[in-house]
Protein backbone atom coordinates (compact mmCIF):
# COMPACT_ATOMS: atom_id res chain seq x y z
CA UNK A 1 0.00 0.00 0.00
CA UNK A 2 1.37 3.39 -0.90
CA UNK A 3 1.32 6.34 1.44
CA UNK A 4 -1.14 9.21 1.12
CA UNK A 5 0.05 11.75 -1.42
CA UNK A 6 -1.51 14.99 -0.17
CA UNK A 7 -1.36 17.84 -2.66
CA UNK A 8 -1.59 21.21 -0.87
CA UNK A 9 -3.71 23.98 -2.33
CA UNK A 10 -4.62 27.42 -1.12
CA UNK A 11 -8.38 27.75 -0.68
CA UNK A 12 -10.13 29.90 -3.24
CA UNK A 13 -11.28 33.31 -2.09
CA UNK A 14 -14.67 33.72 -3.77
CA UNK A 15 -17.56 31.54 -2.62
CA UNK A 16 -18.75 29.22 -5.36
CA UNK A 17 -22.49 28.93 -5.89
CA UNK A 18 -24.01 25.45 -5.67
CA UNK A 19 -25.91 24.41 -8.78
CA UNK A 20 -29.19 22.57 -8.59
CA UNK A 21 -32.09 22.75 -6.19
CA UNK A 22 -31.92 22.17 -2.45
CA UNK A 23 -31.77 23.88 0.91
CA UNK A 24 -29.60 26.93 1.37
CA UNK A 25 -26.44 25.62 2.98
CA UNK A 26 -25.48 29.22 3.78
CA UNK A 27 -27.75 29.00 6.84
CA UNK A 28 -25.26 26.78 8.66
CA UNK A 29 -21.53 26.56 9.17
CA UNK A 30 -20.70 22.98 8.26
CA UNK A 31 -17.73 21.23 9.78
CA UNK A 32 -14.67 19.90 8.03
CA UNK A 33 -15.15 17.10 5.49
CA UNK A 34 -13.14 14.21 4.08
CA UNK A 35 -14.66 13.17 0.77
CA UNK A 36 -13.78 9.50 0.24
CA UNK A 37 -13.99 8.28 -3.36
CA UNK A 38 -13.13 4.61 -4.02
CA UNK A 39 -11.88 4.02 -7.57
CA UNK A 40 -11.22 1.05 -9.80
CA UNK A 41 -10.13 1.93 -13.35
CA UNK A 42 -11.98 5.27 -13.42
CA UNK A 43 -9.43 7.30 -15.40
CA UNK A 44 -12.08 8.52 -17.85
CA UNK A 45 -14.19 10.05 -15.06
CA UNK A 46 -11.59 11.86 -12.96
CA UNK A 47 -11.21 15.18 -14.80
CA UNK A 48 -14.96 15.74 -15.03
CA UNK A 49 -15.56 14.64 -11.43
CA UNK A 50 -12.94 16.99 -9.96
CA UNK A 51 -14.11 19.83 -12.20
CA UNK A 52 -17.69 19.47 -10.96
CA UNK A 53 -16.51 19.21 -7.36
CA UNK A 54 -14.52 22.43 -7.80
CA UNK A 55 -17.70 24.13 -9.05
CA UNK A 56 -19.82 22.68 -6.23
CA UNK A 57 -17.79 22.95 -3.03
CA UNK A 58 -18.08 26.40 -1.42
CA UNK A 59 -14.95 27.98 0.04
CA UNK A 60 -16.51 27.97 3.53
CA UNK A 61 -16.66 24.15 3.50
CA UNK A 62 -13.24 22.86 4.63
CA UNK A 63 -12.94 19.78 2.45
CA UNK A 64 -10.23 17.42 1.32
CA UNK A 65 -10.67 14.63 -1.22
CA UNK A 66 -9.19 11.19 -0.68
CA UNK A 67 -9.22 8.69 -3.55
CA UNK A 68 -8.71 5.12 -2.37
CA UNK A 69 -7.64 3.41 -5.55
CA UNK A 70 -7.55 -0.27 -6.55
CA UNK A 71 -6.99 0.43 -10.24
CA UNK A 72 -4.91 -1.48 -12.73
CA UNK A 73 -4.88 1.44 -15.19
CA UNK A 74 -3.42 4.96 -14.90
CA UNK A 75 -6.17 6.34 -12.64
CA UNK A 76 -3.72 7.45 -9.87
CA UNK A 77 -1.60 9.41 -12.37
CA UNK A 78 -4.71 11.05 -13.83
CA UNK A 79 -5.84 12.08 -10.35
CA UNK A 80 -2.49 13.61 -9.44
CA UNK A 81 -2.36 15.58 -12.67
CA UNK A 82 -5.96 16.84 -12.35
CA UNK A 83 -5.40 17.83 -8.70
CA UNK A 84 -2.78 20.47 -9.54
CA UNK A 85 -5.30 23.24 -10.28
CA UNK A 86 -7.93 22.61 -7.62
CA UNK A 87 -8.91 24.81 -4.65
CA UNK A 88 -8.95 21.89 -2.19
CA UNK A 89 -6.37 19.24 -1.24
CA UNK A 90 -6.50 15.91 -3.04
CA UNK A 91 -4.68 12.67 -2.21
CA UNK A 92 -4.43 9.19 -3.66
CA UNK A 93 -4.07 6.04 -1.59
CA UNK A 94 -3.30 3.22 -4.02
CA UNK A 95 -3.85 -0.33 -2.75
CA UNK A 96 -1.91 -3.13 -4.41
CA UNK A 97 -4.44 -5.62 -3.07
CA UNK A 98 -8.03 -4.42 -2.95
CA UNK A 99 -9.06 -6.29 0.20
CA UNK A 100 -12.79 -6.03 0.90
CA UNK A 101 -13.56 -4.48 -2.49
CA UNK A 102 -15.16 -1.05 -2.55
CA UNK A 103 -16.24 -1.38 1.08
CA UNK A 104 -12.70 -2.16 2.14
CA UNK A 105 -11.46 0.88 0.23
CA UNK A 106 -13.91 3.11 2.10
CA UNK A 107 -12.78 1.69 5.45
CA UNK A 108 -9.16 2.46 4.55
CA UNK A 109 -10.25 6.02 3.85
CA UNK A 110 -12.18 6.25 7.11
CA UNK A 111 -9.08 5.23 9.07
CA UNK A 112 -7.23 8.22 7.59
CA UNK A 113 -9.99 10.76 8.09
CA UNK A 114 -9.68 13.21 11.00
CA UNK A 115 -12.46 15.62 9.98
CA UNK A 116 -15.91 16.24 11.46
CA UNK A 117 -17.66 14.58 8.53
CA UNK A 118 -17.01 11.79 6.06
CA UNK A 119 -18.77 11.84 2.70
CA UNK A 120 -18.67 8.74 0.50
CA UNK A 121 -19.47 8.85 -3.21
CA UNK A 122 -18.62 7.00 -6.43
CA UNK A 123 -16.29 8.36 -9.09
CA UNK A 124 -18.51 7.63 -12.09
CA UNK A 125 -20.70 10.77 -11.64
CA UNK A 126 -23.86 8.78 -11.02
CA UNK A 127 -23.75 10.57 -7.67
CA UNK A 128 -24.12 14.31 -8.43
CA UNK A 129 -21.21 16.25 -6.86
CA UNK A 130 -23.31 19.34 -6.17
CA UNK A 131 -25.12 17.43 -3.40
CA UNK A 132 -21.99 17.02 -1.25
CA UNK A 133 -22.43 20.33 0.64
CA UNK A 134 -26.17 19.70 0.92
CA UNK A 135 -25.61 16.34 2.63
CA UNK A 136 -23.29 17.92 5.19
CA UNK A 137 -25.52 20.96 5.59
CA UNK A 138 -28.55 18.74 6.27
CA UNK A 139 -26.60 16.93 8.97
CA UNK A 140 -25.55 20.20 10.61
CA UNK A 141 -29.09 21.60 10.54
CA UNK A 142 -30.84 18.50 11.87
CA UNK A 143 -28.14 17.13 14.18
CA UNK A 144 -28.20 13.83 12.26
CA UNK A 145 -25.28 11.42 12.55
CA UNK A 146 -25.93 10.04 9.07
CA UNK A 147 -27.39 11.72 5.98
CA UNK A 148 -28.27 9.41 3.08
CA UNK A 149 -28.78 10.50 -0.52
CA UNK A 150 -31.91 8.54 -1.41
CA UNK A 151 -33.47 7.61 -4.74
CA UNK A 152 -36.71 6.55 -3.08
CA UNK A 153 -38.09 9.69 -1.42
CA UNK A 154 -39.97 12.53 -3.16
CA UNK A 155 -37.57 14.34 -5.45
CA UNK A 156 -35.34 11.29 -5.91
CA UNK A 157 -35.13 8.95 -8.88
CA UNK A 158 -33.24 5.85 -10.03
CA UNK A 159 -33.21 7.12 -13.63
CA UNK A 160 -29.53 6.24 -14.15
CA UNK A 161 -30.07 2.52 -13.57
CA UNK A 162 -29.76 0.96 -17.02
CA UNK A 163 -32.47 -1.55 -17.90
CA UNK A 164 -35.38 -3.18 -16.14
CA UNK A 165 -33.15 -6.03 -14.87
CA UNK A 166 -30.86 -3.73 -12.85
CA UNK A 167 -33.88 -1.83 -11.54
CA UNK A 168 -35.51 -5.08 -10.39
CA UNK A 169 -32.29 -6.30 -8.76
CA UNK A 170 -31.79 -2.99 -6.96
CA UNK A 171 -35.35 -2.89 -5.69
CA UNK A 172 -35.27 -6.55 -4.65
CA UNK A 173 -31.99 -6.02 -2.77
CA UNK A 174 -33.54 -3.03 -0.98
CA UNK A 175 -36.60 -5.03 0.12
CA UNK A 176 -34.46 -7.97 1.25
CA UNK A 177 -32.10 -5.76 3.23
CA UNK A 178 -34.86 -3.80 4.95
CA UNK A 179 -36.62 -7.07 5.78
CA UNK A 180 -33.50 -8.52 7.39
CA UNK A 181 -32.59 -5.38 9.36
CA UNK A 182 -35.86 -3.56 10.11
CA UNK A 183 -34.64 -1.85 13.28
CA UNK A 184 -31.19 -0.81 12.09
CA UNK A 185 -32.58 0.56 8.81
CA UNK A 186 -35.57 2.39 10.26
CA UNK A 187 -35.77 5.80 8.57
CA UNK A 188 -33.51 4.79 5.66
CA UNK A 189 -35.43 4.37 2.42
CA UNK A 190 -32.36 3.57 0.29
CA UNK A 191 -29.96 1.28 2.20
CA UNK A 192 -28.28 0.38 -1.13
CA UNK A 193 -27.17 3.98 -1.65
CA UNK A 194 -23.44 4.52 -1.98
CA UNK A 195 -23.76 8.29 -1.50
CA UNK A 196 -23.96 9.55 2.09
CA UNK A 197 -22.41 11.70 4.82
CA UNK A 198 -21.60 10.46 8.32
CA UNK A 199 -20.11 12.11 11.38
CA UNK A 200 -16.59 10.76 11.87
CA UNK A 201 -16.92 10.20 15.66
CA UNK A 202 -19.83 7.81 15.01
CA UNK A 203 -17.71 5.46 12.90
CA UNK A 204 -15.67 2.78 14.64
CA UNK A 205 -13.41 1.67 11.81
CA UNK A 206 -12.06 -1.38 13.64
CA UNK A 207 -15.59 -2.78 13.97
CA UNK A 208 -16.18 -2.72 10.21
CA UNK A 209 -15.82 -5.93 8.20
CA UNK A 210 -16.95 -4.96 4.69
CA UNK A 211 -17.42 -7.39 1.84
CA UNK A 212 -18.17 -5.89 -1.56
CA UNK A 213 -19.67 -2.54 -2.39
CA UNK A 214 -22.60 -2.00 0.00
CA UNK A 215 -20.66 -0.05 2.61
CA UNK A 216 -23.63 2.00 3.87
CA UNK A 217 -25.33 -1.17 5.12
CA UNK A 218 -22.11 -2.19 6.91
CA UNK A 219 -21.77 1.21 8.59
CA UNK A 220 -25.39 1.40 9.71
CA UNK A 221 -25.64 -2.15 11.10
CA UNK A 222 -22.30 -2.12 12.94
CA UNK A 223 -22.08 1.54 14.04
CA UNK A 224 -25.81 2.23 14.65
CA UNK A 225 -26.04 6.03 14.12
CA UNK A 226 -28.60 7.47 16.53
CA UNK A 227 -30.23 9.93 14.15
CA UNK A 228 -30.64 9.63 10.39
CA UNK A 229 -31.72 12.14 7.73
CA UNK A 230 -32.22 11.81 3.98
CA UNK A 231 -31.76 14.06 0.96
CA UNK A 232 -33.33 13.14 -2.39
CA UNK A 233 -31.10 12.64 -5.41
CA UNK A 234 -31.48 11.60 -9.02
CA UNK A 235 -29.22 8.69 -9.88
CA UNK A 236 -27.36 9.82 -13.01
CA UNK A 237 -26.10 7.99 -16.08
CA UNK A 238 -22.53 6.78 -15.80
CA UNK A 239 -20.18 9.36 -17.33
CA UNK A 240 -17.50 6.96 -18.62
CA UNK A 241 -16.54 3.31 -18.37
CA UNK A 242 -18.59 0.27 -17.40
CA UNK A 243 -20.42 -0.78 -14.27
CA UNK A 244 -18.46 -3.05 -11.90
CA UNK A 245 -21.58 -4.80 -10.60
CA UNK A 246 -22.29 -8.33 -11.77
CA UNK A 247 -23.04 -11.86 -10.62
CA UNK A 248 -19.87 -12.05 -8.54
CA UNK A 249 -20.71 -8.85 -6.67
CA UNK A 250 -24.24 -10.17 -6.20
CA UNK A 251 -22.90 -13.27 -4.45
CA UNK A 252 -20.60 -11.15 -2.30
CA UNK A 253 -23.60 -9.02 -1.35
CA UNK A 254 -25.58 -12.10 -0.23
CA UNK A 255 -22.59 -13.36 1.77
CA UNK A 256 -22.29 -9.90 3.34
CA UNK A 257 -25.96 -9.97 4.35
CA UNK A 258 -25.48 -13.39 5.94
CA UNK A 259 -22.40 -12.21 7.84
CA UNK A 260 -24.18 -9.13 9.17
CA UNK A 261 -27.33 -11.03 10.10
CA UNK A 262 -25.31 -13.69 11.96
CA UNK A 263 -23.20 -11.20 13.91
CA UNK A 264 -24.77 -12.15 17.29
CA UNK A 265 -24.32 -15.59 18.95
CA UNK A 266 -28.09 -16.27 18.92
CA UNK A 267 -28.36 -15.46 15.21
CA UNK A 268 -25.31 -17.64 14.48
CA UNK A 269 -26.83 -20.53 16.41
CA UNK A 270 -30.09 -20.24 14.48
CA UNK A 271 -28.17 -20.14 11.20
CA UNK A 272 -26.08 -23.11 12.37
CA UNK A 273 -29.27 -25.08 12.99
CA UNK A 274 -30.84 -24.19 9.65
CA UNK A 275 -27.68 -25.17 7.80
CA UNK A 276 -27.60 -28.41 9.76
CA UNK A 277 -31.17 -29.17 8.68
CA UNK A 278 -30.27 -28.51 5.05
CA UNK A 279 -27.47 -31.08 5.42
CA UNK A 280 -30.06 -33.87 5.47
CA UNK A 281 -30.53 -33.39 1.71
CA UNK A 282 -26.98 -34.36 0.60
CA UNK A 283 -26.86 -36.95 3.40
CA UNK A 284 -29.97 -38.79 2.20
CA UNK A 285 -28.98 -38.42 -1.46
CA UNK A 286 -25.56 -39.94 -0.80
CA UNK A 287 -27.18 -42.75 1.22
CA UNK A 288 -29.55 -43.50 -1.68
CA UNK A 289 -26.67 -43.60 -4.17
CA UNK A 290 -24.52 -45.88 -2.00
CA UNK A 291 -27.26 -48.37 -1.10
CA UNK A 292 -28.40 -48.58 -4.72
CA UNK A 293 -24.79 -49.27 -5.65
CA UNK A 294 -24.86 -52.31 -3.37
CA UNK A 295 -23.04 -50.90 -0.34
CA UNK A 296 -24.19 -52.31 3.02
CA UNK A 297 -26.39 -49.84 4.85
CA UNK A 298 -24.10 -49.43 7.89
CA UNK A 299 -20.96 -48.23 6.05
CA UNK A 300 -23.29 -46.37 3.66
CA UNK A 301 -24.75 -44.48 6.64
CA UNK A 302 -21.27 -43.51 7.85
CA UNK A 303 -20.11 -42.39 4.40
CA UNK A 304 -23.37 -40.51 3.68
CA UNK A 305 -23.03 -38.64 6.95
CA UNK A 306 -19.71 -37.25 5.69
CA UNK A 307 -21.51 -35.78 2.66
CA UNK A 308 -23.77 -33.87 5.01
CA UNK A 309 -20.79 -32.81 7.12
CA UNK A 310 -19.01 -31.44 4.05
CA UNK A 311 -22.16 -29.60 2.93
CA UNK A 312 -22.58 -28.04 6.36
CA UNK A 313 -18.91 -27.05 6.55
CA UNK A 314 -18.98 -25.23 3.19
CA UNK A 315 -22.14 -23.26 4.07
CA UNK A 316 -20.98 -22.43 7.60
CA UNK A 317 -17.64 -21.22 6.26
CA UNK A 318 -19.30 -19.02 3.63
CA UNK A 319 -22.22 -17.68 5.64
CA UNK A 320 -21.45 -17.71 9.37
CA UNK A 321 -17.70 -17.61 9.99
CA UNK A 322 -16.24 -15.97 6.89
CA UNK A 323 -14.36 -13.38 8.95
CA UNK A 324 -12.83 -16.01 11.28
CA UNK A 325 -11.35 -18.38 8.71
CA UNK A 326 -7.88 -16.84 8.79
CA UNK A 327 -7.20 -18.10 12.32
CA UNK A 328 -6.61 -21.69 11.18
CA UNK A 329 -5.63 -23.47 7.97
CA UNK A 330 -8.62 -24.83 6.04
CA UNK A 331 -7.48 -28.44 6.52
CA UNK A 332 -7.30 -27.86 10.28
CA UNK A 333 -10.79 -26.35 10.28
CA UNK A 334 -12.45 -29.10 8.27
CA UNK A 335 -10.72 -31.80 10.32
CA UNK A 336 -11.95 -30.32 13.59
CA UNK A 337 -15.42 -29.71 12.17
CA UNK A 338 -15.75 -33.30 10.92
CA UNK A 339 -14.52 -34.67 14.24
CA UNK A 340 -17.15 -32.68 16.15
CA UNK A 341 -19.92 -33.60 13.71
CA UNK A 342 -19.19 -37.31 14.00
CA UNK A 343 -18.72 -37.11 17.76
CA UNK A 344 -22.26 -35.78 17.84
CA UNK A 345 -23.49 -39.17 16.62
CA UNK A 346 -21.46 -41.03 19.26
CA UNK A 347 -22.70 -38.78 22.07
CA UNK A 348 -26.36 -38.88 21.08
CA UNK A 349 -26.92 -42.62 21.70
CA UNK A 350 -25.55 -42.64 25.30
CA UNK A 351 -27.61 -39.53 26.03
CA UNK A 352 -30.79 -41.17 24.80
CA UNK A 353 -30.03 -44.24 26.94
CA UNK A 354 -29.40 -41.99 29.96
CA UNK A 355 -32.66 -40.09 29.52
CA UNK A 356 -34.66 -43.30 29.14
CA UNK A 357 -33.01 -45.43 31.83
CA UNK A 358 -32.23 -42.78 34.45
CA UNK A 359 -35.07 -40.31 34.01
CA UNK A 360 -37.78 -42.65 32.72
CA UNK A 361 -38.43 -40.68 29.53
CA UNK A 362 -40.14 -42.14 26.47
CA UNK A 363 -37.88 -42.85 23.51
CA UNK A 364 -39.19 -40.07 21.23
CA UNK A 365 -38.93 -37.23 23.81
CA UNK A 366 -35.55 -38.57 24.89
CA UNK A 367 -34.34 -38.55 21.29
CA UNK A 368 -35.60 -34.99 20.75
CA UNK A 369 -33.92 -33.77 23.94
CA UNK A 370 -30.67 -35.50 22.98
CA UNK A 371 -30.78 -33.83 19.54
CA UNK A 372 -31.22 -30.39 21.11
CA UNK A 373 -28.49 -31.02 23.69
CA UNK A 374 -25.91 -32.27 21.20
CA UNK A 375 -26.80 -29.44 18.80
CA UNK A 376 -26.11 -26.76 21.42
CA UNK A 377 -22.91 -28.50 22.48
CA UNK A 378 -21.75 -28.88 18.85
CA UNK A 379 -22.44 -25.22 18.09
CA UNK A 380 -20.50 -24.07 21.16
CA UNK A 381 -17.65 -26.47 20.42
CA UNK A 382 -17.52 -25.38 16.76
CA UNK A 383 -17.17 -21.72 17.73
CA UNK A 384 -14.60 -22.46 20.45
CA UNK A 385 -12.50 -25.16 18.81
CA UNK A 386 -12.73 -24.36 15.10
CA UNK A 387 -13.25 -20.63 14.64
CA UNK A 388 -11.96 -18.77 17.69
CA UNK A 389 -8.38 -17.45 17.37
CA UNK A 390 -5.63 -19.61 18.78
CA UNK A 391 -4.31 -18.63 22.20
CA UNK A 392 -0.62 -17.99 21.67
CA UNK A 393 2.04 -19.34 24.01
CA UNK A 394 3.08 -15.75 24.81
CA UNK A 395 -0.46 -14.87 25.85
CA UNK A 396 -0.71 -17.93 28.09
CA UNK A 397 2.61 -17.12 29.71
CA UNK A 398 1.52 -13.54 30.37
CA UNK A 399 -1.65 -14.66 32.12
CA UNK A 400 0.06 -17.29 34.24
Amino acid sequence: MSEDLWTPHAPSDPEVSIPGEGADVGEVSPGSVTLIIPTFNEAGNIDELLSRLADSLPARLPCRVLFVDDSTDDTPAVIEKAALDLPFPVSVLHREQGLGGLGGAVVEGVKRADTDWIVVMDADLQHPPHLVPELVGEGERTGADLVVASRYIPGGSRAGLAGSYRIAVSRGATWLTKGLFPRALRGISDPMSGFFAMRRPVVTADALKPLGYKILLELVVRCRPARVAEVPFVFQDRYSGESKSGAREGMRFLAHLAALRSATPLARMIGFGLIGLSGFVPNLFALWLLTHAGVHYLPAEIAANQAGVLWNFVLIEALLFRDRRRHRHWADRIGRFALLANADLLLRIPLIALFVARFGMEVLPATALALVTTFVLRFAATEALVYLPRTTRTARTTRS
Side-chain angles (χ1 to χ4, degrees), residues 351-352 355 359 361 363-375:
L351 272 178
I352 293 171
F355 294 150
F359 299 107
M361 297 179 66
V363 172
L364 284 179
T367 302
L369 181 57
L371 281 169
V372 172
T373 303
T374 56
F375 163 73

Side-chain angles (χ1 to χ4, degrees), residues 380-397:
T382 299
E383 280 215 312
L385 301 179
V386 182
Y387 291 105
L388 282 185
R390 287 188 179 94
T391 302
T392 63
R393 183 173 298 176
T394 302
R396 288 196 299 267
T397 303

